[in-house]
Amino acid sequence: MNVQRVAIVTAASRGIGAGCARELAARGYKVSLMARSQNVVNLADELGGMAIQGSIANAQNLKSLVEATLDRFGRIDAVVNSFGDPPRPDLLSITDEVWQENFEMLFLSVVRMARLVTEPMRQQGGGVIVNISACDSHEPELSTPFSGTLRAAMEGFTKLYAKRYRADKIRTISVAPFFVADNMAELSGWNVPKDLMYGRPARYAELAKIVAFLISDDAKFITGTTLKVDEAYSAAI
């Protein structure tokens, strides 16, 4: 019997999150979306899914999203933890409040989501969680302080979670792209190299296809790792 698969995507009103929502819907998933913008509701209607307006940094919003998804669709097969771009302040100008805000967004939201979806996934026989990271997560840059600290922690949690729940056939992977945009205007203010492989960044739909592959059964032996989608710009092997 064919089961209608269900995917949660956060920060899904635009950018990477919206790209992943569109790709997964095109592959037959029912999508359950969350973002702060009203646009997420419009996208969910377009894709035949559901949406909740809320913040991934808010524990109750995440709980409401998971509960509403289970109430409507009865299962959760995949989660894509996507995020908006964090700010880029000077290192010691970052206040405790801003550190905490980004900790809640880039790290604690991943932990909270895992707590919420693990038992439903375990009961149904498995699932996949994909965390959207960035290619500088293990190569700290002063221009992006939250990637080298909080996203690095997120990738560490990805490994630990994969070890803990592999026997339950729940996989988790981090995807670490370089620049992703549908046009160069979106990257205004960023130092974009002029020697990109195709003369442009990866498009949202292109990155979404990679995420969809990782969620699929074709990638069923991939878990606990970080896949860099960065044109070999990072120094790490």
Side-chain angles (χ1 to χ4, degrees):
M1 182 178 69
N2 290 329
V3 175
Q4 175 74 72
R5 295 196 172 190
V6 178
I8 287 175
V9 185
T10 63
S13 62
R14 61 186 180 87
I16 292 172
C20 290
R22 291 183 186 280
E23 180 64 27
L24 291 171
R27 295 185 182 219
Y29 281 78
K30 286 294 184 183
V31 292
S32 178
L33 313 179
M34 188 170 77
R36 288 176 290 187
S37 169
Q38 169 67 28
N39 291 340
V40 77
V41 177
N42 300 333
L43 179 60
D45 289 343
E46 174 191 332
L47 300 178
M50 60 163 283
I52 288 179
Q53 280 185 262
S55 170
I56 58 175
N58 184 297
Q60 185 56 51
N61 287 170
L62 291 175
K63 186 172 185 288
S64 296
L65 174 65
V66 171
E67 289 177 348
T69 304
L70 290 170
D71 286 346
R72 175 144 175 199
F73 299 123
R75 60 188 293 118
I76 298 168
D77 297 277
V79 174
V80 180
N81 286 313
S82 185
F83 310 89
D85 285 329
R88 292 170 278 162
D90 186 54
L91 186 63
L92 292 185
S93 73
I94 304 171
T95 64
D96 287 2
E97 181 181 20
V98 174
W99 274 115
Q100 182 66 32
E101 177 183 323
N102 283 276
F103 173 74
E104 297 262 347
M105 180 178 74
L106 294 171
F107 179 76
L108 204 50
S109 67
V110 173
V111 178
R112 288 167 172 164
M113 181 66 82
R115 288 194 193 115
L116 292 165
V117 302
T118 296
E119 186 56 23
M121 286 181 172
R122 192 190 65 78
Q123 289 184 14
Q124 72 197 21
V128 188
I129 302 170
V130 175
N131 303 316
I132 305 298
S133 186
C135 71
D136 59 350
S137 55
H138 292 166
E139 298 172 29
E141 293 281 348
L142 284 170
S143 59
T144 54
F146 299 113
S147 281
T149 53
L150 303 179
R151 279 179 164 140
M154 181 182 75
E155 292 178 19
F157 177 79
T158 296
K159 173 66 78 173
L160 292 175
Y161 181 93
K163 287 175 177 285
R164 174 64 178 84
Y165 290 100
R166 58 186 294 277
D168 295 298
K169 297 182 175 62
I170 304 174
R171 298 187 292 113
T172 183
I173 309 105
S174 291
V175 175
F178 193 32
F179 289 108
V180 185
D182 282 345
N183 59 73
M184 292 301 295
E186 295 180 68
L187 300 176
S188 176
W190 289 92
N191 184 23
V192 182
K194 298 189 182 301
D195 62 343
L196 296 173
M197 284 176 65
Y198 296 99
R200 60 168 176 80
R203 298 189 177 108
Y204 299 123
E206 291 169 328
L207 184 68
K209 290 182 186 300
I210 295 168
V211 171
F213 162 72
L214 292 170
I215 288 171
S216 76
D217 288 341
D218 290 334
K220 62 188 174 186
F221 290 102
I222 301 175
T223 189
T225 193
T226 296
L227 175 63
K228 295 205 173 192
V229 186
D230 67 348
E231 305 183 22
Y233 267 95
S234 60
I237 297 174

